[in-house]
Amino acid sequence: MLEVYNTNVVGPMVMSQVFLPLLRKASKDSLVKGMSCSKAAIVNMSSEVGSIANMLEWQRGHVIAYRCSKSALNMLSKCQSLCLAEDGILCVALHPGWVQTDMGNKLGPAPLTMEQSLRGILNTLGRLSEENTGTFVNWEGKLVPW
């Protein structure tokens, strides 16, 4: 559990802290109004299995340490959005979908190719704005319940 938590929560937290001076500078120097990924953003790669409301695919695999770590990452994303709102830094948790990767196929054949997920993520990132900060969205830009 600690190893997974260190990777999925502590790692993103430390990385955002290290890059925070650059994010603040980018936001301050930007001519873009409001929040956007074009200005300054922290996008934490979460997973819908971290949703407490959904409990996605519980019957296929419990993966409790992973679920707990992604739930904690979602809380980190929400906290970052509140702490960094004054700086104009967009913060979201993003579920890339169930993707055909070595990890993604462990619970059965994943429905999304990496290309489909990436195309959706890039499209979603281009549309995120101030109203999305502090939310949990999927690769299609749809809200995921906490």
Side-chain angles (χ1 to χ4, degrees):
M1 174 100 93
L2 287 175
E3 184 178 329
V4 173
Y5 196 90
N6 280 332
T7 299
N8 291 339
V9 186
V10 177
M13 183 183 70
V14 170
M15 182 168 298
S16 65
Q17 288 173 338
V18 168
F19 281 95
L20 191 54
L22 294 173
L23 289 165
R24 284 184 169 134
K25 180 174 177 9
S27 179
K28 183 181 174 197
D29 294 349
S30 176
L31 300 176
V32 176
K33 299 294 179 204
M35 293 181 182
S36 75
C37 289
S38 298
K39 184 176 181 179
I42 295 172
V43 180
N44 289 313
M45 296 306 289
S46 189
S47 172
E48 193 169 353
V49 299
S51 168
I52 294 170
N54 276 2
M55 295 306 293
L56 183 71
E57 298 296 336
W58 177 258
Q59 70 283 4
R60 286 191 183 206
H62 297 170
V63 292
I64 293 170
Y66 184 74
R67 287 177 186 277
C68 291
S69 73
K70 291 302 185 174
S71 291
L73 180 64
N74 293 344
M75 177 58 85
L76 173 65
S77 301
K78 181 65 175 183
C79 291
Q80 288 172 327
S81 75
L82 296 171
C83 290
L84 301 174
E86 285 183 15
D87 294 306
I89 300 170
L90 176 81
C91 302
V92 297
L94 189 134
H95 168 58
W98 186 4
V99 183
Q100 296 170 8
T101 62
D102 291 343
M103 187 178 112
N105 289 328
K106 283 186 179 178
L107 299 179
L112 286 175
T113 66
M114 285 187 276
E115 291 78 15
Q116 290 169 319
S117 173
L118 183 57
R119 217 174 337 209
I121 289 169
L122 291 174
N123 187 37
T124 294
L125 293 178
R127 294 189 327 255
L128 294 178
S129 68
E130 193 162 339
E131 69 184 27
N132 303 109
T133 197
T135 63
F136 184 14
V137 298
N138 70 12
W139 75 102
E140 298 173 307
K142 296 177 184 169
L143 286 176
V144 178
W146 294 113

